Amino acid sequence: MQGVDPAWLPDEAFRPIGTRRTLIRGSGPLVDTVHGEVAEACGRFGGSVSRDSAAAPEPGPYDLVLELTGTEGGETYTFGRGDGRTTVTASGASGLLYGLFHVVRLGEAAFHGGDRQREQHAPALALRMLDHWDNVAVHPVMGQVERGYAGGSLFWADGRARGELLGRVRAYGRLLAACGINAVAVNNVNVHEAEARLLTDRIGEVARIAGALRPYGIRTHLSVTFAAPMVLGELPTADPLDEAVRAWWAEATARVYEAIPDFGGFVVKADSEGQPGPFAYGRSHADGANMLGAALEPYGGTVHWRAFVYDHRQDWRDRRTDRARAAYDHFVPLDGQFAGNAVLQVKHGPMDFQVREPVSPLIGAMPRTRLAVEMQATQEYTGQQRHVCWLGPLWSEVLRFRPDGVPVADLADAMVAVSNVGDDPFWTGHPLAQANLYTFGRLAWQPDADPGAILDEWIRLAFGPGPSSGLHAVLDGSWRTYEKYTAPLGVGWMVQPGHHYGPSVDGYEYSPWGTYHFADRDGIGVDRSVTTGTGYAGQYSKWWAEVYESPDTCPDELLLFFHHVAYGHVLRSGKTVIQHIYDTHFEGVEEVEAAQRVWAGLADLVGPARHARVAELHEEQLRSAREWRDQINSYFLRKSGVPDAHGRRIY
Ligand code: GCV
């Protein structure tokens, strides 16, 4: 696509396939996609591709055989080598597509070496989804993409689904399939007036987007407003137990499936940050979700019901209310009441995608409810795609966390990320933020994969072998670097209210949002213990509840999330809290400076456009990191009166 960064699918990645002889067996739209990919590569590099849809194997001197053996929609494939031939076999067409991209990822290595036992590859999670917080119309406060840092929407322009530019949407589907993602929600969970109509009279536009994503095995989902029967149907109520309301949803859903037969389902943000929901009718969230589940059920659709429900009009003086408790308190009593096609979509932490939070105690606490774990690829609180902040290690920690013996990855039915993509030529604004999208997809496919290996895979695909160690160095530790120069020890927030970029230590301290640090002259942190605090620590299983209950056993990085401690409190690292704050803030800036130097040295290896964009953003990251360092250090020096042990400059 002209002028658009090829991301992890540059032409060169197809050279090993494109120079060889390939046989493709099977038929159907996704096999056509696979054929198209191979044919294009062969056109470019001189190889050949034959198509055989008959049942009998075609003899011939093929280097690669891609064969579909069944007609199901399965995603599994086997990969092997024998008699000098590489073979991918799948019983479902999606599996064949994923098998093709497996060969692309392996590159030359797919064709070398002796016989290779057939390996089976299957995704750990059936649903691997991106939620776009895209508005059709530009919102006066949130712009077109809420919390979007990569330009306008890929799907919507000038108040409509993109017309001739849907080629870009198809290219997006291709990138997503190549990292294993199979579902996309195309509009913001905050559903405004124009966007509400996507469900009814504007469904044709959604169908066009779905048509552009379908060739890559991506199913389309829609965020809907709970009040749709009132807003669109002119009913007097949206009560989920009202028969007319249920009938309205059933009819609306039937029309959606007429337009999009493989439609994935609805995403719903209800009773959250001003969005309507079942509370208005004295009904539970299970009642709300099940009503939509019933409408989707005849077509095999799913409702993603978000658990991000809390009081955003809290009185900051009220120390008993704790926002972190809210999701668990609301939803755990409903375990077992949700329909089989309802999936509870839970943010990975109890607050809101801060750089460091504990894993949400809701995860693992509802064994009879299907679970989607929601991550945030868009870097709302992690540098807004102006800072390098590769989130692979954060997500991997979440997925490996064992709430009660079993890892989060094994408890989840689905993984969802808020997309970080827009119509920017680099897709993600910051070219290196592509690594987050890629890593998310690959972790959703294989949650116990080593994130560092995924990073290297992305670097090799997107940049070739040249800059690999330098790029790895720039990205690998970047999440921890970001954590160092921003809010310390898990306390979170301290950002500028509203847009959430840059430091403001007290920005949210006296606000109604429930996001406080409680710093005074003696200490800082939120007491969430059972004994003396909000009781939040008690929402975990016994083992973790005990770990988090005491400052002596609580991990350092979460200390201020769980406890209010004196500045002189000695961490398990041996440092006092105040000295830790000073040291990490100085170190964080030094690490950004070091990354900037490494990047400067890669000028000849990464292409001029990418190099210039990242270099420019590095300048901003450094400016911002220094601002964070100086505001945080000065604030705490002034509050505590404790000097820095190393006498460095604090204002
Ligand atoms: C889409 C945070 C963000 C909001 C977002 C919300 C959510 O509060 O700041 O922009 O709304 O999360 O996840 O629903």
Side-chain angles (χ1 to χ4, degrees), residues 114-137:
D115 288 3
R116 209 159 144 168
Q117 282 262 312
R118 279 183 172 263
E119 315 154 351
Q120 195 176 53
H121 295 265
L125 297 165
L127 201 121
R128 308 171 301 279
M129 176 169 177
L130 286 174
D131 279 7
H132 278 254
W133 287 353
D134 296 17
N135 300 313
V136 176

Side-chain angles (χ1 to χ4, degrees), residues 133 146-147 189-190 269 273 306 308 347 352 380:
W133 287 353
E146 181 156 344
R147 313 304 181 187
V189 290
N190 290 327
K269 172 176 179 178
E273 300 185 332
R306 295 179 85 230
F308 186 56
K347 289 193 182 189
D352 194 6
E380 176 176 1

Side-chain angles (χ1 to χ4, degrees), residues 484-495:
K484 283 183 178 179
Y485 62 75
T486 57
L489 298 166
V491 77
W493 308 97
M494 300 189 171
V495 288

